[in-house]
Amino acid sequence: MSDPGRDATVGNASSSQQWVPRPPLRQARGGLEVVTIDGKILAIGGFKGEDVFPDVEVRRTMGHGSWSNLHPMKVGRANFAAAVVRGRVYAVGGIDVHSNGRDVVEVFDMAKNHWATSVPLPLPRDSAGAAELHGLLYVAGGSVTLGDNKFETTDSVLVFNPDDGSWRPVAPLRVPRQKLRVVTSGRHLYAIGGQAPTGETVTTVERYDPESGSWTTMNPMHESRALFGVVQTTVGHRRLLVVVGGSEVGVGETTSVARRTTEVFDIESGSWRLLGVLLPTKRGSNECAVEEGGSIVTIGGVTSLDGKPKFLSDVDALHLTPHHWPGR
């Protein structure tokens, strides 16, 4: 009997729908963050080899437009968290060129094309997830720097209030993890996937309700993954979360394997659907956005070529239709 929360793959999806290329980034990179604000998609920061970037690129959500540069962040960072809160972009934590955790928080004003330093995190934190809910910035999980070259994969969740510039803790995740993604849908936050303290990637999904101040375990993904792309979107009358690519690390293993798969979570039914259509290239350390026409775009990332990492400038788009999941 199949798990009602984890439906079978749509076998014929690849014959009717494909990922199609969009104009690439100007700078190939993994470990970037992507946000959408004022009808524009921003690709922020990231790394390539030993270089960590402060660079920011922008394109419109409409059309198939090319990328141009905005003012860079004050500091380069990768594997950080970002979200739009009250019309401004927050870039939180991450790692520097030496892979040290950062506590630096920056805020971007689109109208002024300007980054300003905000209140720092209580402790340096990288590989966390972030999202906005009810005008507040939530930062969940990640790897926290404790000092003396000690690091901890954490279950802690912090919330930042722009009104008074304060960070405060809220209920922790049920499962500590880093390299997760956090996304808002309706009145809830969803913390998805990531890497456990023991190193393996997880399928875990949790939902946060700010009214009760608690996390609830939801149906898991089909496949474990870390540093994948995620967006919320609506197709027809269905509100969906879409996860794209990412990397897998097995129990007891240290090498990650990038994925080509995409999964869709139906908010109403609480079920996951693994799509039959595959990415043109395996990729992890990527991120996603939604174009004005509803297509999902996955941006940047890292794949492997002859056993070596290859950093991607690739941008690919998939137009979801209701036939991608059952019960339509």
Side-chain angles (χ1 to χ4, degrees):
M1 181 182 236
S2 64
D3 184 338
R6 302 169 79 179
D7 296 312
T9 301
V10 178
N12 64 356
S14 60
S15 64
S16 58
Q17 294 289 326
Q18 295 287 343
W19 289 90
V20 296
R22 296 287 195 250
L25 293 168
R26 298 163 70 96
Q27 173 64 64
R29 61 180 96 179
L32 74 166
E33 267 291 342
V34 171
V35 299
T36 301
I37 180 172
D38 297 340
K40 298 179 176 64
I41 300 169
L42 275 58
I44 310 169
F47 75 105
K48 180 182 180 183
E50 296 181 354
D51 296 326
V52 176
F53 306 121
D55 305 41
V56 182
E57 298 186 44
V58 61
R59 56 152 288 190
R60 296 173 64 86
T61 55
M62 64 184 299
H64 301 168
S66 60
W67 297 85
S68 59
N69 289 103
L70 290 175
H71 200 277
M73 292 182 289
K74 293 178 178 294
V75 299
R77 64 180 88 205
N79 290 354
F80 60 105
V84 176
V85 181
R86 305 188 192 181
R88 295 189 175 186
V89 180
Y90 283 76
V92 181
I95 57 174
D96 63 16
V97 68
H98 303 294
S99 296
N100 297 317
R102 289 192 176 279
D103 63 0
V104 179
V105 179
E106 295 184 59
V107 185
F108 184 63
D109 186 320
M110 273 289 290
K112 297 179 180 179
N113 190 22
H114 176 71
W115 289 91
T117 303
S118 184
V119 180
L121 290 162
L123 289 172
R125 181 183 301 226
D126 64 89
S127 305
E132 179 274 345
L133 185 63
H134 302 327
L136 303 175
L137 172 65
Y138 287 80
V139 178
S143 176
V144 174
T145 304
L146 301 176
D148 297 325
N149 207 29
K150 294 180 180 178
F151 311 92
E152 177 183 81
T153 297
T154 186
D155 59 0
S156 72
V157 181
L158 300 174
V159 60
F160 178 75
N161 187 339
D163 287 337
D164 59 13
S166 65
W167 288 99
R168 63 180 176 86
V170 293
L173 297 165
R174 289 172 172 259
V175 178
R177 46 211 157 112
Q178 60 172 304
K179 300 181 180 178
L180 74 162
R181 300 299 194 194
V182 178
V183 62
T184 303
S185 183
R187 60 186 184 86
H188 295 114
L189 295 175
Y190 290 81
I192 305 172
Q195 199 166 5
T198 46
E200 72 274 11
T201 49
V202 299
T203 58
T204 308
V205 180
E206 301 179 45
R207 184 180 71 189
Y208 180 73
D209 183 346
E211 292 186 9
S212 64
S214 61
W215 292 90
T216 302
T217 301
M218 309 297 288
N219 285 314
M221 293 184 289
H222 286 268
E223 298 179 340
S224 71
R225 59 186 84 213
L227 292 180
F228 49 94
V230 62
V231 290
Q232 189 230 240
T233 190
T234 302
V235 178
H237 298 294
R238 290 179 179 269
R239 192 157 41 96
L240 308 172
L241 304 181
V242 183
V243 299
V244 180
S247 298
E248 174 195 21
V249 179
V251 176
E253 298 178 355
T254 57
T255 303
S256 63
V257 178
R259 294 197 179 278
R260 293 180 66 191
T261 52
T262 298
E263 299 191 44
V264 176
F265 181 72
D266 187 314
I267 298 291
E268 183 178 354
S269 67
S271 63
W272 285 94
R273 187 71 166 173
L274 185 64
L275 303 188
V277 60
L278 299 177
L279 286 164
T281 303
K282 293 181 179 180
R283 67 172 79 182
S285 205
N286 55 302
E287 256 294 8
C288 285
V290 181
E291 294 179 335
E292 188 169 296
S295 293
I296 309 299
V297 287
T298 186
I299 301 167
V302 184
T303 189
S304 61
L305 182 65
D306 298 328
K308 298 179 180 179
K310 178 184 178 183
F311 293 83
L312 301 174
S313 60
D314 302 34
V315 178
D316 295 291
L318 176 68
H319 186 70
L320 287 177
T321 61
H323 86 271
H324 283 105
W325 54 87
R328 59 186 185 277

